Amino acid sequence: MNNQSPNQDRTVAALIHLSTFTQFFFPFGNFIFPLIFWTAKKKDPFVNEHGKQALNFQISLFLYAFFLIMIGIAGAIIIGLNMNFEGSFYINDHHQWIGNPLEAGPVIIYIMTMILLLLALFVLNLYAVVSATIRAGEGRLYQYPLTINFLNSREYQEPQEEPGSKEPDKAPE
């Protein structure tokens, strides 16, 4: 039994994953282009599974980034509203602010933490998409990390090796 998908299916599955990088050139390219490749050959179970996995991961990353940004903005506003600006004052008519720069420290730390979390999502995206592309090229499935299954996936099962296809272990002489 052949353990791998046909070459054309592997190529289309790899293109689905790679096409998510179009997000760096076109707004929402990480949704549009994989969707185009996926719908073109979604009747093939191998391509269908890879298409669903890629889109689920991209939707999940979008939601994670959106919520991180919203939490970051809300948190920065809340921290900023609770800062003590007594001892700070304006001079001249030019509204130059003179005060302790350390008063902005909590906001800066909070914003930097949110930026680092967004950067971690970016690195995860790069790593996972490259890994999925390699697996698709090998004719194997890839399960993206931190993925919410919006599109029902895991309907396709990888072909298993036949029971007698391995060489039997030799007994010690």
Side-chain angles (χ1 to χ4, degrees):
M1 183 173 173
N2 186 2
N3 231 9
Q4 297 182 345
S5 292
N7 227 4
Q8 183 183 13
D9 295 341
R10 295 188 312 189
T11 303
V12 172
L15 280 173
I16 287 171
H17 296 293
L18 279 178
S19 68
T20 63
F21 287 142
T22 59
Q23 69 183 325
F24 304 120
F25 307 106
F26 303 105
F28 300 107
N30 57 329
F31 303 115
I32 296 167
F33 291 99
L35 190 61
I36 291 169
F37 286 120
W38 175 50
T39 54
K41 282 204 70 176
K42 84 187 237 183
K43 290 186 181 183
D44 176 83
F46 182 74
V47 173
N48 187 36
E49 183 63 29
H50 278 276
K52 288 178 180 180
Q53 288 291 324
L55 287 170
N56 280 335
F57 183 64
Q58 292 303 313
I59 294 167
S60 298
L61 280 184
F62 176 79
L63 289 175
Y64 296 147
F66 177 79
F67 286 122
L68 269 176
I69 290 168
M70 291 299 112
I71 290 169
I73 290 170
I77 289 171
I78 290 169
I79 291 172
L81 290 176
N82 290 319
M83 287 176 44
N84 180 9
F85 288 106
E86 292 177 20
S88 302
F89 56 91
Y90 291 101
I91 59 170
N92 304 339
D93 291 333
H94 303 295
H95 299 287
Q96 292 176 325
W97 182 69
I98 301 293
N100 186 357
L102 294 178
E103 290 175 359
V107 174
I108 292 170
I109 291 171
Y110 186 78
I111 291 172
M112 292 303 294
T113 303
M114 290 298 146
I115 289 171
L116 285 175
L117 288 172
L118 287 170
L119 182 63
L121 279 179
F122 174 75
V123 170
L124 174 67
N125 185 25
L126 294 178
Y127 172 78
V129 169
V130 169
S131 297
T133 303
I134 291 169
R135 287 273 181 95
E138 294 170 347
R140 297 169 46 207
L141 292 178
Y142 181 76
Q143 181 69 41
Y144 280 100
L146 303 175
T147 302
I148 303 167
N149 275 335
F150 295 102
L151 304 170
N152 189 15
S153 65
R154 284 304 208 193
E155 295 169 358
Y156 173 80
Q157 298 294 320
E158 285 187 277
Q160 302 294 319
E161 289 186 22
E162 292 180 6
S165 65
K166 282 187 170 180
E167 289 185 21
D169 294 335
K170 293 185 177 182
E173 296 178 13

